[in-house]
């Protein structure tokens, strides 16, 4: 089969690397891709946010059998619906299901209605009413722009002043554009052992009838060591999550994952694809922080390398509604991804820096913001690449990844030194 993956980042490169291992894959394509995807796939220069252009491309290329829509924006736009309307087979939810990520107001309402554990919240479209509510609740309090905001539309406010400023930023100044027309205001959850509370990402495959959790992982959203600095797209990940247990998995499946799948069915919005559960372990059990309608980035970089089962087999089983027939298996051991970014990320940074790579052992370099310019590998984005290492445990994988990082250079390279350390005490 010939498979095309839509997206430009590390997640897409990681999906392509996993698909390349499939015996049934003949040719791989990536729209638009980066310098890393170009090594294993043919990059296609079409703007995937232009659904007419994608449709035209798909009609002109009947040799492509299967499409994987990986990023949130084209999913929210309904790119899967468009491709299916011309008879193409896809991995990814339709627009009516992708709303579980695209609107936090929708997902909070869904959880309320179906009693899925999450932080208590209220949604507002009036600034005045929101302000009144914030003043009544006091701090700490969490503000969330309703729509998609590159993972940056959430403000955890420790003081009332911060909350008042944040509210103005989101609803009046429109710091996140139309995503801030509505706002979700919720209580700050307390972790069972840590503050900020301990978080785990559980990605799952679901065809709307069966839901299968993948191995767990932990993200590092803040820019600097010790979870300091601004939120980013993710500065590194490791798998598995140290505090995960069989009991937690059972609790999450029974109280969160299966009820979410059923809730989406009951709403007439059957979700097929990768449903991502961002969870927090609290004193009152596991709770949902957020849903994503897609593979996480950089979670995918540490989850898919541990997959033993053929990824294309799983994708097709999801599309065809026969996921229950597939036995999904994972390697034991651990995997770590250290993200290397451009200096100044996530605020402002330079592009076009030449990347020099020495000995990286058996680590995998998963590209995100890279390009080839005048025959040289250069940076072309904020998050440039992830160094992915496997080991018998997180500590061993972490040492391997950081040893490789020492041999990668460009002007202004920036990365966290503490990926793989948190939650060590369980
Ligand atoms: P989200 O984009 O919804 O995942 O939120 C971004 C980050 O903000 C999360 O990963 C948490 O670290 C934090 N966060 C979001 N909601 C809450 C909450 N209700 N209580 C505490 N922290 C939160
Ligand atoms: N790593 C978090 C996300 O993909 O949204």
């Amino acid at each position: 089969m010939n498979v095309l993956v839509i997206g430009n980042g590390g997640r897409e490169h990681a999906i392509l690397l996993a698909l390349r291992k499939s015996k049934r894959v003949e040719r791989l394509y990536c729209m638009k891709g980066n310098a890393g995807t170009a090594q294993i796939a043919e990059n296609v220069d079409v703007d995937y946010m232009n659904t007419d252009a994608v449709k035209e491309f798909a009609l002109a290329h009947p040799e492509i059998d299967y499409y994987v829509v990986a990023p949130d924006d084209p999913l929210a736009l309904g790119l899967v619906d468009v491709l299916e309307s011309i008879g193409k087979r896809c991995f990814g939810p339709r627009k009516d299901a992708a709303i579980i990520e695209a609107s936090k107001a929708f997902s909070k309402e869904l959880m309320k209605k179906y009693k899925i554990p999450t932080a208590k919240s209220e949604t507002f479209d009036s600034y005045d009413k929101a302000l009144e509510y914030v003043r009544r609740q006091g701090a700490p309090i969490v503000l969330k722009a309703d729509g998609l905001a590159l993972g940056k539309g959430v403000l955890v406010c420790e003081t009332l002043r911060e909350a008042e400023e944040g509210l103005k930023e989101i609803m009046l100044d429109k710091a996140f554009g139309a995503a801030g027309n509505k706002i979700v205001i919720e209580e700050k959850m307390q972790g069972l052992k840590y503050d900020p509370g301990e978080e785990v990402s559980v990605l799952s495959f679901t065809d709307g009838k069966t839901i299968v959790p993948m191995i767990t992982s932990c993200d590092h959203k803040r820019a600097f060591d010790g979870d300091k600095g601004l939120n980013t797209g993710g500065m590194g990940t490791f798998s598995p999550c140290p505090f995960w247990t069989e009991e937690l998995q059972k609790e999450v499946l029974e109280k969160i994952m299966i009820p979410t799948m059923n809730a989406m069915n009951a709403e007439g919005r059957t979700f097929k694809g990768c449903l991502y559960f961002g969870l927090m372990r609290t004193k009152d059990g596991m709770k949902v922080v957020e849903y994503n309608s897609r593979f996480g980035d950089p979670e995918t970089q540490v989850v898919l390398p541990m997959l033993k089962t053929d990824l294309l087999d799983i994708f097709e089983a999801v599309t065809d509604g026969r996921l229950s027939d597939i036995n999904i298996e994972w390697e034991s051991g651990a995997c770590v991804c250290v993200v290397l970014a451009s200096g100044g990320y996530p605020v402002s940074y330079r592009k076009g820096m030449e990347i020099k790579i020495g000995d990286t052992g058996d680590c995998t370099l998963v590209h995100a913001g890279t390009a080839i310019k005048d025959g040289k590998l250069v940076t072309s984005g904020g998050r440039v690449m992830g160094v992915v290492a496997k080991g018998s445990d997180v500590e061993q994988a972490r040492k391997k990844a950081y040893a490789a990082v020492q041999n990668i250079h460009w002007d202004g390279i920036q990365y966290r030194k503490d990926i793989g350390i948190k939650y060590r005490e369980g």
Side-chain angles (χ1 to χ4, degrees), residues 345-379:
Y345 175 75
V347 184
S348 64
Y349 48 84
R350 290 193 296 167
K351 295 181 184 177
M353 302 294 116
E354 187 180 351
I355 302 171
K356 298 210 176 83
I357 301 173
D359 180 13
T360 54
D362 64 355
C363 294
T364 306
L365 303 185
V366 181
H367 291 227
T370 64
I372 301 288
K373 200 173 153 201
D374 304 327
K376 286 179 181 156
L377 183 65
V378 298
T379 64

Side-chain angles (χ1 to χ4, degrees), residues 24 205 207 210 212 307 309-318 322-329:
R24 294 188 301 117
F205 295 108
D207 60 1
T210 305
V212 184
L307 179 65
T309 312
D310 186 313
L311 184 60
L312 185 60
D313 284 351
I314 303 173
F315 279 175
E316 286 198 286
V318 167
R322 44 178 182 76
L323 185 59
S324 62
D325 294 349
I326 301 259
N327 181 24
I328 299 178
E329 292 184 297

Side-chain angles (χ1 to χ4, degrees), residues 31 45-60 79 82:
M31 183 186 283
D45 191 12
V46 170
D47 172 13
Y48 57 72
M49 291 303 284
N50 179 345
T51 52
D52 287 338
V54 178
K55 190 168 164 180
E56 199 179 309
F57 172 86
L59 287 169
L79 189 56
V82 170

Side-chain angles (χ1 to χ4, degrees), residues 11 72 101 150-151 201 203 218-221 232-237 276 290-292 294-300 383:
R11 164 184 51 211
D72 49 0
E101 170 172 8
L150 296 170
S201 305
L203 285 59
C218 296
D219 192 8
H220 299 70
K221 287 191 212 270
T232 70
M235 294 302 291
T237 38
Y276 165 129
E290 65 163 350
Y291 294 116
N292 290 327
R294 51 171 176 85
F295 282 97
D297 190 340
E299 284 90 340
T300 308
R383 290 188 297 168

Side-chain angles (χ1 to χ4, degrees), residues 104 119 142 144 154 156 186-189 199 221 280 289-290:
K104 288 193 190 284
V142 180
K144 300 186 170 186
V154 172
V156 180
E186 65 179 39
E187 61 170 348
K188 184 184 171 198
M189 293 189 275
E199 292 182 71
K221 287 191 212 270
M280 191 177 283
V289 180
E290 65 163 350

Side-chain angles (χ1 to χ4, degrees), residues 3-7 12 15-16 19 28-32 68 70:
V3 182
L4 184 144
V5 176
I6 286 171
E12 289 74 22
I15 292 172
L16 286 161
L19 284 172
L28 289 170
Y29 300 82
C30 192
M31 183 186 283
K32 299 182 163 190
V68 180

